Amino acid sequence: MRQRLVLMVPVVAIVGVWFGTALPTATPRTTDEDHMLAVQVFLDRARYSPGEIDGVGGANTDGAIDAFERATGQRVDRAVAAEREP
């Protein structure tokens, strides 16, 4: 049974390529760290330094978020989401 399973995996992949169908892949999940990294990159590009761009919030990132939101009247989350839209 195990040998049959080992042989079937490459066959399924080849048949999928032959007929133009892809094997299912895992959908990447967005983590809080990914979101914070996007916020930090956005703030840095907007010239509001979040300090070290590491995906981890802190006092510098909080200060940059506050400064951005006071200066522009926009929420950072909405600005980041708008920038990511195609």
Side-chain angles (χ1 to χ4, degrees), residues 3-65:
Q3 288 178 337
R4 215 178 278 167
L5 180 61
V6 172
L7 291 175
M8 286 188 64
V9 171
V11 170
V12 169
I14 292 169
V15 169
V17 170
W18 181 267
F19 289 103
T21 59
L23 294 174
T25 57
T27 304
R29 294 184 180 160
T30 303
T31 63
D32 291 337
E33 188 174 308
D34 293 337
H35 176 71
M36 182 56 68
L37 187 63
V39 168
Q40 289 175 332
V41 169
F42 173 83
L43 288 168
D44 190 59
R45 289 179 180 167
R47 305 281 191 240
Y48 293 89
S49 178
E52 184 177 354
I53 298 175
D54 56 2
V56 179
N60 289 337
T61 301
D62 292 342
I65 290 170

